[in-house]
Amino acid sequence: TKLILLDSLLQETTMQDDLLGRFRQDGFLAPIQFLSPEETIFYKDKYREYEKKYGSGGNDKRIRGNRLFRIHMVAKWAADLVRHPKLISTIQEVLGSPDILIWSSDLAIKPANSTQCFDWHQDEAYAQLGPADKLLTAWIALTDSTIENGCVKFMRGSHGLGKLPHESRQRTATQNLVLGQVVGDEELIKTMESNIVHCELKAGEASLHSWRTIHASQPNRSDKL
């Protein structure tokens, strides 16, 4: 029994070291098996209820405006989701701290055959928080996220470039970032193109990325949400 326990501890330590190593090297971690199939269905249904109650737009009914942000402050299902023990424990391991503060919770919704996309940016540009190595964003997929429907894409290792200057550009139908802030150095983006990794997730999976990891996403060109 003692040998089995020791072996289990060694496997757990190796897994934790692997998680930390991958996150520190790449600036992101994905995919992470997060929700069970039953939990995925439950939270997807709760989102649908939220959409039905607060969505607007007639036939194109969806969540818009301020109801996309900090929803864990107003919806219990969202509060439970962002405080899920498995998510919190993984973040604690990656950040190396038992103390976790949930600063915000946002919905990233791309209807079928829509034009919404987000240009290259760092999350750090949108909040004056620090230190940078203790900040990350967790993405939780409630539906499959694929290249075809506009999954997020990361620039591997870009978190090591530090805090980059961003510039504000006008928000358009195809560029929907709040404040329109994107990395201003287009030549830098071109030199990093070989480091692009598409983060495809199955429903119930999650990803973590550093606030300094450059990331973006394309429009949803598929027939699915």
Side-chain angles (χ1 to χ4, degrees):
T1 302
K2 290 182 179 179
L3 289 175
I4 293 174
L5 287 173
L6 177 59
D7 182 61
S8 297
L9 288 172
L10 288 173
Q11 288 183 18
E12 182 178 350
T13 301
T14 301
M15 181 186 71
Q16 292 170 354
D17 290 343
D18 183 54
L19 288 176
L20 289 171
R22 286 166 55 196
F23 186 82
R24 289 172 178 169
Q25 177 175 318
D26 296 339
F28 63 90
L29 194 60
I32 301 168
Q33 186 55 52
F34 173 41
L35 298 174
S36 68
E38 294 77 17
E39 288 176 317
T40 303
I41 293 172
F42 172 81
Y43 284 112
K44 188 187 299 184
D45 288 344
K46 287 297 181 181
Y47 163 72
R48 293 298 189 190
E49 291 176 11
Y50 184 81
E51 181 183 55
K52 184 177 180 180
K53 184 174 182 179
Y54 296 112
S56 61
N59 293 332
D60 184 27
K61 192 171 186 178
R62 52 183 159 145
I63 305 298
R64 306 170 193 268
N66 289 334
R67 289 194 170 98
L68 289 168
F69 306 106
R70 291 183 172 86
I71 61 171
H72 72 290
M73 303 294 289
V74 297
K76 184 181 183 303
W77 65 270
D80 291 341
L81 181 59
V82 299
R83 293 185 176 95
H84 193 289
K86 189 170 184 179
L87 181 65
I88 294 297
S89 63
T90 304
I91 292 173
Q92 287 172 330
E93 292 292 341
V94 169
L95 293 184
S97 173
D99 302 316
I100 303 298
L101 172 66
I102 300 167
W103 178 70
S104 188
S105 56
D106 309 342
L107 291 171
I109 307 165
K110 292 184 178 180
N113 298 303
S114 62
T115 59
Q116 293 183 23
C117 64
F118 309 103
D119 211 343
W120 295 109
H121 67 284
Q122 296 172 310
D123 290 342
E124 189 177 22
Y126 288 80
Q128 297 299 317
L129 298 175
D133 63 349
K134 295 298 181 181
L135 299 170
L136 61 75
T137 295
W139 284 88
I140 303 168
L142 296 183
T143 59
D144 291 349
S145 182
T146 66
I147 294 175
E148 290 73 23
N149 66 14
C151 68
V152 69
K153 52 185 180 179
F154 300 120
M155 285 190 167
R156 179 182 282 124
S158 59
H159 62 303
L161 298 173
K163 185 177 181 179
L164 299 173
H166 283 56
E167 61 184 39
S168 294
R169 297 176 184 170
Q170 185 176 0
R171 295 182 69 187
T172 66
T174 58
Q175 205 295 94
N176 308 109
L177 281 169
V178 176
L179 305 180
Q181 291 182 310
V182 298
V183 175
D185 191 341
E186 295 183 0
E187 288 302 315
L188 173 65
I189 296 299
K190 289 179 181 179
T191 63
M192 295 286 291
E193 286 182 350
S194 62
N195 290 4
I196 293 175
V197 178
H198 289 88
C199 182
E200 294 189 291
L201 299 175
K202 295 290 186 181
E205 291 182 337
S207 68
L208 305 178
H209 67 266
S210 164
W211 265 30
R212 286 187 172 173
T213 298
I214 303 173
H215 57 290
S217 68
Q218 294 298 307
N220 181 358
R221 300 302 188 190
S222 76
D223 294 327
K224 299 179 180 180
L225 177 67

